[in-house]
Amino acid sequence: MDASPTNPSDDDVALPAVVKATARQHLVKLGASGLSLDVVARDSGLAVTAVESAFPHRDDLLTALVVDAYDASGSAMERADRAAADAGAPAGARLLAATRALRQWSFANPAEFTLIYGSPVPGYHAPQDTVAPASRTPAVLAGILRSALESGELTPPRRTLPGGLLRPEALELFGGAPDAPFSDIVERGIVLWSSLIGLLVFQVFSRTHDSVLDEAVYFDAAIAVAAETVGLDVPLGEGDR
């Protein structure tokens, strides 16, 4: 008697993948607001009922695409950070490696970047399922800052941010608020996080191309400046390019 667990059929795995692949093509051409199950079914060569068996509603498909985008971008950052840490890099170099990885993913996948960091999709409200994937990017930043704090790589701030402004889950992601003079490190980490995403929005959406000669160099320098807000030094030597 075969006691091995039942595995999903190839169709169970392949159908959602086909639907999502077609939907990603539509993100590029039409944007998320133009996505519909009918159009995805037509262009993937499937019956609408088949598409609906995988994703009953458009919002289910959007959620799957959102989760995939957060997971893919978060994974890129995690891999880059892990490689830098394994090579013995200091926290500042780890931050640069992780943020560069997110930038590379963003430019390689502009439609998915727009889906998660662009304008909200009219009528769509992201469910709780997207929270954990969305947390992967700030979790990478938090891990780097935690490591920097524990290794003594942070410089105490000259001005502190007010306390009592954060939700408990934000503090939990970092592992709790540390003692002074770094008691506001989580608040500062959010400044760093928002600076990173804002910078990417400007670059991916071509807001800086007519102002900046070398956007990759500018990105690195801007990350170094943003890192100063958390007391972290980011090396920008020639070997880092």
Side-chain angles (χ1 to χ4, degrees), residues 24-144:
R24 289 189 187 97
Q25 295 173 8
H26 281 276
L27 288 180
V28 174
K29 294 184 291 185
L30 304 174
S33 61
L35 194 67
S36 74
L37 297 186
D38 289 343
V39 173
V40 170
R42 181 197 67 201
D43 289 357
S44 57
L46 297 168
V48 174
T49 53
V51 173
E52 290 176 342
S53 70
F55 303 102
H57 303 286
R58 182 211 65 162
D59 286 4
D60 298 316
L61 178 54
L62 272 177
T63 295
L65 297 175
V66 167
V67 168
D68 284 355
Y70 277 130
D71 278 338
S73 57
S75 179
M77 292 185 72
E78 290 162 0
R79 289 194 303 270
D81 178 41
R82 190 179 310 115
D86 289 346
R94 288 173 55 188
L95 177 66
L96 188 59
T99 55
R100 281 175 174 174
L102 181 59
R103 182 179 187 272
Q104 182 178 19
W105 178 89
S106 301
F107 275 92
N109 303 276
E112 287 87 345
F113 175 86
T114 301
L115 178 64
I116 56 177
Y117 293 122
S119 300
V121 180
Y124 173 73
H125 301 283
Q128 190 68 22
D129 295 352
T130 63
V131 173
S135 298
R136 292 178 71 168
T137 289
V140 172
L141 301 180
I144 293 171

Side-chain angles (χ1 to χ4, degrees), residues 176-200:
D179 296 329
F182 300 108
S183 55
D184 65 346
I185 189 65
V186 180
E187 289 89 343
R188 290 176 176 276
I190 294 175
V191 174
L192 174 63
W193 176 28
S194 59
S195 297
L196 166 62
I197 301 304
L199 178 59
L200 286 173

